[in-house]
Amino acid sequence: MTPSQVELVQSSFAKVAPIADTAAGLFYGRLFETAPEVKPLFKGDIAEQGRKLMATLAVVVNGLTKLEVIVPAAQTLARRHVAYGVRPEHYAPVGAALLWTLEQGLGPDFTPETKAAWAEAYTLLSSVMIEAAADAAPVA
């Protein structure tokens, strides 16, 4: 990611953070609408899950300038997700729901450049997570 892309992701997330609970609700609503097959993977309180999501996003967004720190954390998270039943094909609808949520939350501030920066960040992190999950997955 370029420094400009990192700045776009960080500055736009700062605008979404004040509406974190609303954003999380929008995200899960959209995810379950577009990928209903993932809904059974969420067994706990979805509001609590939303708080965890937004906290994790904050760590990732703030750490984009320190990939050597967030990549190992993302790998650990991905390995845990394997146990919950997350599969590689789940990452695409999650990314799409994230971009949609940001568009809803940011409105006109979700410029094409901001969208591209977020897509780059998500692609980077999800590819790291998919690779780590594959290493952790039990051999059939």
Side-chain angles (χ1 to χ4, degrees):
M1 290 186 70
T2 67
S4 174
Q5 287 176 313
V6 170
E7 169 57 28
L8 279 171
V9 169
Q10 290 177 337
S11 63
S12 60
F13 186 74
K15 295 174 185 174
V16 174
I19 59 161
D21 289 344
T22 300
L26 286 169
F27 170 81
Y28 285 112
R30 180 67 170 185
L31 179 62
F32 298 155
E33 175 186 318
T34 60
E37 68 276 9
V38 303
K39 192 169 186 179
L41 301 177
F42 296 88
K43 299 182 181 7
D45 176 14
I46 202 67
E48 177 60 26
Q49 182 63 39
R51 286 187 281 282
K52 289 178 184 177
L53 168 72
M54 296 306 289
T56 300
L57 271 176
V59 169
V60 169
V61 166
N62 291 325
L64 285 175
T65 57
K66 298 173 263 172
L67 289 179
E68 71 278 3
V69 174
I70 63 168
V71 164
Q75 291 168 326
T76 299
L77 183 64
R79 289 184 198 98
R80 275 202 319 261
H81 279 74
V82 170
Y84 305 142
V86 174
R87 297 189 313 267
E89 61 268 22
H90 295 148
Y91 284 85
V94 166
L98 175 63
L99 293 176
W100 180 87
T101 300
L102 291 163
E103 183 177 19
Q104 303 311 300
L106 293 169
D109 288 340
F110 195 62
T111 65
E113 295 81 14
T114 302
K115 181 178 183 177
W118 273 97
E120 179 72 20
Y122 184 78
T123 299
L124 172 72
L125 267 287
S126 64
S127 64
V128 164
M129 292 179 73
I130 290 167
E131 184 177 316
D135 292 343
V139 177

